[in-house]
Amino acid sequence: MKLSGDDIIARCRHIARFSESATETTRTFLCPAMHDVHRYLGEWMGSLHMDVRVDAMGNLRGLHPGSRGGGRRLLIGSHLDTVPNAGAFDGILGVVLGIALVQSLEGERLPFPIEIIGFSEEEGVRFGVPFLGSRALIGRVDDQLLSTTDQNGVSVYEAIRQFGLNPTHIGEACADPGVLAYLEFHIEQGPVLEHLDQPLAVVQAIAGQSRYAVNVTGSASHAGTTPMNLRKDALAGMAEWITVVEADAKQVNGLVSTVAAVHSEPRAGNVVPAQVTASLDVRHAADEVRRAAAKRLLHSGASIAERRGLKFHAEVRLEQATVQMDPDLVGMAQRALQNIGCEGRLLTSGAGHDAMVIAEKVPSVMIFLRNPGGISHHPDESVLRGDVDLALSALLNILKQFASQVS
Ligand code: HGY
Ligand code: MN
Ligand code: MN
C-alpha cells in the first residue's frame, strides 16, 4: 500500500537514530552505524521482494525487476551519510522515497527494472573528499582516492575492509551501461521554495565547487614571554586569511566561500599556535568565477603567510564543475509537477549532490522538496508531510511517463 508523507517522515526520523553519536545524528563513511541503516533498509526492500546487496564502496542497492527481465534500468537514490549533528532528511529522504515508490507499486513490474541506491558517502566529512559512493557507480575511483586517509590515518581502502567489504571488487560497483536515467529527490537546503510557497521544484543545474585542505605552519613559543613582533602565530595568520576569504566572497554576486573545520595545535592556551589545518569550500554557478576566486584566495593565503613568516599549503580535495541536468528529464519532471498541481519551477542548486557525479555518465535530474526555514545540516531540518506526499505522487507520475516511453 502507498506510504503516506507521515510514514516516510517517520522512517527518516527512525533512521536518524542510527548514528556514531548517542546524542546527535552523525553518520560518516562506513561507520558502524551504517550497518544499522543497511539492515533497516535492506529488510524493508527484502520484504518487497527486491534483490538487495551492498557493493564494494558500501552503497546499498535494491533491485525491483522489470516485466521484461533485464533491460535499461531506472536508478533512484541519494546518500545515506550525514554531516556531524545533522538533520533527519538530507540524503536519506531520497532513498526512503524510492523504496516507498516500489512499495506503492504493490508488486507491479514496469517495462524496466528500478534500482534504488543509498550512496555510502556524499558529504566528504571523513576523508575531506565527497561523492565516494556515486564515484564508484561511474567508475571514478582510483588508487589515489583509495589511499586518501582520515584524521586517524585510516585509508578509504582500509575503511572498506574494516566494514567487512572487499575493496578489490570496487570495479563491480559500476552501473551497467545504458542506464535509463537517475532520479534524485532531495530537500532544497535553502529558503527559495518556502519563499515561492512551492512544495517542489525541478533542479536544472548544480553549482560547481572547489574544496581544499589548508595548512598554516608557524612555530610554537611561550605565550607569556614571546613579544608580539617575534611570533610566528599560525592561528593568527589563519584568522587574518579567513576574514579575507569572507570579504572576497561578499564582493562577488553569487559567490560563496567558507573556511571551516579549523584545528589548531598545540591545544594549550599558553603556547603560541604552531600548526593550523582547515577546509576551504568555494562555490559559484559559473566555473570561471569559482576558479578565479579559488586562485585569488590561495594567493592571498600565501602572501599573508609570507608577511608573517609562516608557511601556507593548500591541497585540492575536489574540483567539481557546474553540472546541467538532462534537459529531457527536466521537461519530464516539470510535466510531472504540473500534472500534480505544482508550478514546475526550475532551480539551480547551491548544494552539491550525487546527481552531479552520476550525470557524467547517466541522464540525471533532481526534484527538490521545500525545506521549512531553509534549515539544513542542522538537527532542526524538516519537511512537510503534504510535500512528501506530493513528491511521491510526482515520482509515480515520472514512472508512468517512462513506462509509456519504454513500452
Ligand atoms: O556540501 C554540499 O553541497 C552537500 O550538502 N553535500
Ligand atoms: Mn548535505
Ligand atoms: Mn545531501
Side-chain angles (χ1 to χ4, degrees):
M1 92 320 181
K2 192 173 178 248
L3 287 186
S4 69
D6 273 336
D7 297 330
I8 290 167
I9 287 170
R11 283 184 179 266
C12 290
R13 290 205 182 281
H14 179 81
I15 294 166
R17 294 203 294 255
F18 301 144
S19 171
E20 296 169 40
S21 144
T23 55
E24 300 171 350
T25 296
T26 302
R27 268 194 318 272
T28 58
F29 180 70
L30 297 188
C31 64
M34 216 45 109
H35 284 297
D36 300 326
V37 177
H38 289 175
R39 189 175 311 107
Y40 177 82
L41 293 177
E43 284 171 0
W44 181 16
M45 291 196 281
S47 74
L48 302 175
H49 311 297
M50 295 170 75
D51 305 324
V52 182
R53 69 186 177 100
V54 176
D55 69 26
M57 188 49 97
N59 298 315
L60 177 66
R61 303 174 72 163
L63 185 69
H64 175 70
S67 54
R68 299 173 184 167
R72 300 174 65 198
R73 61 185 65 178
L74 177 66
L75 304 183
I76 301 170
S78 193
H79 58 95
L80 301 176
D81 67 310
T82 74
V83 294
N85 196 15
F89 303 98
D90 176 5
I92 198 73
L93 175 64
V95 184
V96 171
L97 266 170
I99 304 173
L101 172 84
V102 172
Q103 177 160 329
S104 64
L105 294 175
E106 295 181 339
E108 182 200 347
R109 293 191 174 193
L110 296 161
F112 47 83
I114 297 170
E115 183 173 9
I116 308 298
I117 305 182
F119 292 111
S120 53
E121 202 285 346
E122 182 272 347
E123 299 287 3
V125 172
R126 181 170 176 181
F127 294 96
V129 181
F131 308 128
L132 297 184
S134 39
R135 287 175 66 162
L137 228 80
I138 62 160
R140 256 187 51 196
V141 174
D142 55 21
D143 290 343
Q144 188 197 353
L145 181 61
L146 289 171
S147 55
T148 305
T149 54
D150 65 13
Q151 294 214 329
N152 303 317
V154 178
S155 68
V156 173
Y157 188 95
E158 192 45 35
I160 292 171
R161 276 174 26 79
Q162 287 173 2
F163 192 75
L165 300 168
N166 183 343
T168 61
H169 295 166
I170 288 246
E172 294 160 24
C174 256
D176 294 346
V179 170
L180 204 53
Y182 170 70
L183 306 179
E184 183 168 358
F185 280 63
H186 200 288
I187 50 174
E188 177 202 342
Q189 299 183 294
V192 173
L193 283 180
E194 187 168 56
H195 176 69
L196 296 171
D197 193 21
Q198 281 298 307
L200 306 172
V202 178
V203 175
Q204 61 180 356
I206 304 174
Q209 45 179 285
S210 301
R211 296 193 194 186
Y212 296 86
V214 175
N215 205 314
V216 176
T217 308
S219 51
S221 58
H222 196 296
T225 58
T226 314
M228 294 311 284
N229 64 329
L230 297 182
R231 294 176 174 214
K232 294 192 187 309
D233 185 334
L235 188 53
M238 178 67 86
E240 181 182 344
W241 182 61
I242 291 170
T243 57
V244 167
V245 168
E246 184 189 43
D248 178 274
K250 285 181 175 174
Q251 302 297 319
V252 181
N253 189 24
L255 177 65
V256 283
S257 303
T258 314
V259 176
V262 178
H263 180 88
S264 170
E265 292 289 348
R267 301 187 70 68
N270 59 350
V271 182
V272 174
Q275 175 91 21
V276 182
T277 58
S279 59
L280 173 65
D281 181 310
V282 183
R283 305 191 192 194
H284 194 278
D287 290 337
E288 63 283 1
V289 174
R290 168 177 53 83
R291 281 198 285 267
K295 196 168 168 212
R296 264 197 320 273
L297 296 176
L298 298 187
H299 178 74
S300 68
S303 42
I304 289 169
E306 195 184 347
R307 174 167 40 83
R308 287 170 168 265
L310 305 171
K311 281 205 203 76
F312 179 90
H313 178 70
E315 253 180 49
V316 67
R317 283 284 187 268
L318 176 76
E319 253 308 298
Q320 174 62 54
T322 291
V323 172
Q324 300 300 321
M325 297 286 93
D326 178 87
D328 296 338
L329 290 179
V330 168
M332 184 187 265
Q334 273 191 299
R335 283 192 298 279
L337 263 54
Q338 286 149 1
N339 293 343
I340 62 168
C342 298
E343 283 179 15
R345 292 278 187 131
L346 297 177
L347 287 188
T348 292
S349 173
H353 297 287
D354 289 303
M356 77 194 309
V357 173
I358 301 293
E360 224 176 278
K361 295 266 177 81
V362 173
S364 301
V365 73
M366 291 188 76
I367 285 186
F368 273 171
L369 282 85
R370 174 169 34 192
N371 207 170
I375 299 168
S376 184
H377 284 187
H378 186 282
D380 293 347
E381 184 179 274
S382 67
V383 283
L384 303 173
R385 67 159 76 111
D387 295 354
V388 177
D389 269 330
L390 280 170
L392 189 51
S393 305
L395 191 41
L396 273 164
N397 191 281
I398 292 173
L399 226 54
K400 280 200 194 100
Q401 291 184 56
F402 269 118
S404 60
Q405 259 184 18
V406 172
S407 46

